[in-house]
Amino acid sequence: MDNLNIGMALAGLLMLIGMQRMQGGHAAFPWFAAALAAAILTPLTLGGGENELILLAALGLGASLALILGLAADMAALPARLALMHGLTGAATALVASIAVIEQLLEPGLSLALASLSILFGAFSAAGAAVTHARLLNLLPRVWRHVAQAGAGITLLVLTLGAGAILATGLREGVAWLLLFLGLAAASGVTFTLPLAEREAPLAASLFGSLAGLGLALLGMALDLPPLLATGLLSAILTLILSLHLSRSVNLPLHRLLWGASTPPVREEPVLTSQPLQAEGVAGRLAGQAEVLLIPGFGCMAANACAELVELGRLLEQRGTRVHLLAHPLGGRLPGQLELLLREAGAPQDWMLEHWPSDRPLPGLVLSIGAHDLLNPALRLEGMPDLRQGEAVILLVKHLGGFSGSANPLLHEPQVRVWLDDARHALGQLNQLWREA
Amino acid sequence: MDIGAALTIALLAALLGQAWSLRVRFGAHVNWLVAALMLNAMSLPAAMLLLGDASTGLGLLAGFVAVLVASAAAIGALIWLRRMENLQSRNITSGEHG
């Protein structure tokens, strides 16, 4: 194990340099690529054991799957792909710990207990992340909620821990017992995740990453591989603190994720008192504006309307309007995702803003695209303008309840007009009108 | 592993993770989630070593799947990191068509 430890420590060190570069705003890719090369080459140079051909076949298949996971989707699918890949790392950790149990590499006691916990965290996060991935891709028809869900989830988790404890003490050995434990851990992960709605899924995926990291750290201790302990724990702490930060920012406490038990029901949609705008009315209001602020949000991303939005900006700019595009970090499913989507759609750098300075006056017209929750003055998000101070505001929304279902007082402001439509369809129609004008 | 050494490593890793995560710019959050994913994929060399030495049919099967999924996650995360950094370094100005 010593040579493997040296190789893995080198890979870990290269990743730390990459993260330091990332912190400074520089490219981290070359360092992470070098780290991965070190992580793969170390066991290969150690001989690959007796099963080298099988090992190379697994690596080749894994690389092919990675190409599909990494390339066959646009930036809108990033949160779903991240959830899936966190799940795959959890599955890998659980399987490595299972091999150590199957091949009887560990003595009953502390080592076997650590491996059992590693299996629990790995299988739990793998199953949960798979459900989260399906939820984010809208593959699940509905959110499963039941009054007894928290009780059932906790009972299942206690049973899983009991099975793990019996496995760790060596009271029961054999593959059947290990499979039972793996199945219970995976069922716990599924039970935990099924009651979570789409809004909670990215946060849950981040938490599963943290659990997978913890599982890896425990595996490192069980197998006497200190670099695994260090990288696993570093990942677990990083993702946990980032998840806490995100949960505070979106006003979604982490404890609300516990089997979806206390997630409040979605409110009824508010009634609109004024007549909603149509594309022609919006085009008329945009015409002749010296400066316009465009604020895309989750609805813009979900409708895959970023290309139409950038096109609108270009049409406005061609007619002499100065365009600002506010890509707030909370605009997408994950902080920073919306900016990536807009860049992918070709948004110029000089339009982009991450925050609107509180002392900067608002332009004559603000058009928000699916940013109902982001603009809610009741949520007071840092870096978002208070549109109650705006001269004219148009909210393009698909439905008045927004994504979170929170009441939005902006809907009742006299200078705010609502445009009810799907973002992609609405912007496409507006661009067509501008092109023909 | 010696418990004292394990706790020391754990403490240092936790401190480093805390120090970094508190300085992460909110807009770059997604990059750090990919970095954490790469750290989690360090199970790959351990999976490769155990698959190489596996002697039972079930051990071989579990090792094969472990290497497959760990390498898919690690290489997949690396591809996403490359794509994200490419987009973030793109500097289109007004008048240019991206």
Side-chain angles (χ1 to χ4, degrees):
Chain A
M1 292 275 182
D2 278 352
N3 289 334
L4 184 71
N5 273 329
I6 292 168
M8 285 202 293
L10 174 67
L13 186 66
L14 290 166
M15 283 196 196
L16 291 185
I17 296 172
M19 289 165 92
Q20 190 58 40
R21 298 274 301 163
M22 197 181 269
Q23 182 75 61
H26 305 292
F29 171 79
W31 296 97
F32 278 101
L36 184 59
I40 291 175
L41 288 174
T42 303
L44 285 180
T45 50
L46 291 177
E50 294 166 7
N51 309 311
E52 201 165 14
L53 279 178
I54 299 174
L55 177 58
L56 291 173
L59 268 178
L61 276 176
S64 311
L65 181 59
L67 289 176
I68 298 168
L69 287 175
L71 295 173
D74 60 15
M75 281 290 154
L78 175 61
R81 286 285 188 267
L82 272 183
L84 183 63
M85 290 189 288
H86 272 309
L88 291 181
T89 59
T93 299
L95 286 166
V96 173
S98 299
I99 303 168
V101 175
I102 294 165
E103 300 280 330
Q104 296 181 330
L105 302 175
L106 303 169
E107 294 293 320
L110 183 63
S111 297
L112 206 50
L114 291 168
S116 300
L117 275 175
S118 179
I119 292 172
L120 170 63
F121 287 131
F124 185 96
S125 57
V131 176
T132 306
H133 177 251
R135 171 78 62 215
L136 285 168
L137 291 180
N138 294 316
L139 297 175
L140 297 176
R142 65 185 182 90
V143 176
W144 280 273
R145 283 185 183 151
H146 190 270
V147 282
Q149 68 199 23
I154 291 166
T155 308
L156 194 55
L157 192 58
V158 169
L159 281 175
T160 313
L161 285 169
I166 292 170
L167 189 73
T169 50
L171 287 175
R172 286 274 192 284
E173 287 179 6
V175 172
W177 198 255
L178 174 69
L179 290 177
L180 173 73
F181 178 49
L182 266 170
L184 280 172
S188 275
V190 171
T191 317
F192 177 87
T193 321
L194 276 179
L196 299 179
E198 191 186 352
R199 177 170 178 253
E200 292 132 359
L203 194 54
S206 186
L207 271 182
F208 289 133
S210 190
L211 281 182
L214 197 54
L216 183 66
L218 293 168
L219 180 69
M221 278 185 78
L223 294 180
D224 201 11
L225 296 169
L228 280 196
L229 168 63
T231 52
L233 208 64
L234 178 57
S235 163
I237 296 288
L238 254 175
T239 41
L240 182 64
I241 295 177
L242 292 179
S243 304
L244 283 168
H245 191 187
L246 178 59
S247 78
R248 274 195 299 270
S249 304
V250 297
N251 198 22
L252 182 66
L254 284 185
H255 67 80
R256 267 182 35 189
L257 295 190
L258 297 176
W259 292 278
S262 55
T263 304
V266 175
R267 288 173 57 255
E268 277 184 34
E269 195 154 309
V271 179
L272 195 62
T273 49
S274 60
Q275 189 68 21
L277 284 172
Q278 300 296 321
E280 292 79 7
V282 177
R285 282 160 194 261
L286 281 168
Q289 291 287 343
E291 204 175 355
V292 165
L293 172 61
L294 303 172
I295 309 179
F298 178 80
C300 181
M301 187 210 73
N304 205 9
C306 289
E308 282 75 12
L309 178 63
V310 172
E311 173 70 11
L312 173 66
R314 292 197 188 286
L315 290 167
L316 285 167
E317 202 175 50
Q318 281 167 15
R319 285 160 176 79
T321 303
R322 189 168 174 214
V323 176
H324 304 286
L325 191 54
L326 180 55
H328 192 274
L330 287 175
R333 278 198 173 102
L334 287 171
Q337 188 200 1
L338 182 63
E339 187 193 333
L340 289 169
L341 280 164
L342 291 167
R343 284 179 181 274
E344 197 176 44
Q349 178 67 33
D350 46 356
W351 293 0
M352 306 271 274
L353 289 162
E354 202 172 276
H355 294 102
W356 187 263
S358 55
D359 54 350
R360 187 170 176 176
L362 283 165
L365 184 77
V366 179
L367 170 62
S368 96
I369 305 96
H372 189 280
D373 293 325
L374 211 56
L375 293 168
N376 192 337
L379 299 179
R380 292 197 196 103
L381 287 181
E382 198 184 326
M384 286 308 289
D386 185 351
L387 295 190
R388 288 173 299 189
Q389 317 295 329
E391 282 175 45
V393 177
I394 300 171
L395 300 181
L396 169 56
V397 288
K398 197 171 179 184
H399 50 87
L400 296 172
F403 189 49
S404 69
S406 305
N408 191 341
L410 210 55
L411 292 172
H412 310 295
E413 292 287 326
Q415 78 282 19
V416 176
R417 296 296 304 272
V418 173
W419 182 14
L420 271 174
D421 203 344
D422 170 76
R424 191 172 185 185
H425 176 258
L427 291 178
Q429 226 180 355
L430 183 62
N431 290 344
Q432 187 63 33
L433 286 171
W434 273 84
R435 277 192 294 268
E436 289 167 0
Chain B
M1 188 188 297
D2 176 56
I3 292 293
L7 286 177
T8 309
I9 293 167
L11 183 68
L12 287 173
L15 281 173
L16 188 59
Q18 191 191 19
W20 257 331
S21 55
L22 293 177
R23 289 168 59 205
V24 169
R25 192 172 61 81
F26 204 37
H29 196 123
V30 70
N31 295 51
W32 285 84
L33 286 178
V34 176
L37 184 56
M38 290 289 300
L39 288 172
N40 279 352
M42 281 290 282
S43 54
L44 177 59
M48 289 170 71
L49 190 81
L50 292 194
L51 170 60
D53 294 334
S55 54
T56 63
L58 201 63
L60 272 173
L61 177 67
F64 182 84
V65 180
V67 171
L68 194 157
V69 295
S71 56
I75 301 169
L78 198 63
I79 294 171
W80 277 104
L81 183 65
R82 176 70 171 166
R83 286 179 64 184
M84 284 158 52
E85 288 188 343
N86 271 349
L87 283 174
Q88 283 158 345
S89 64
R90 230 163 130 175
N91 195 7
I92 304 166
T93 52
S94 304
E96 273 180 59
H97 286 264

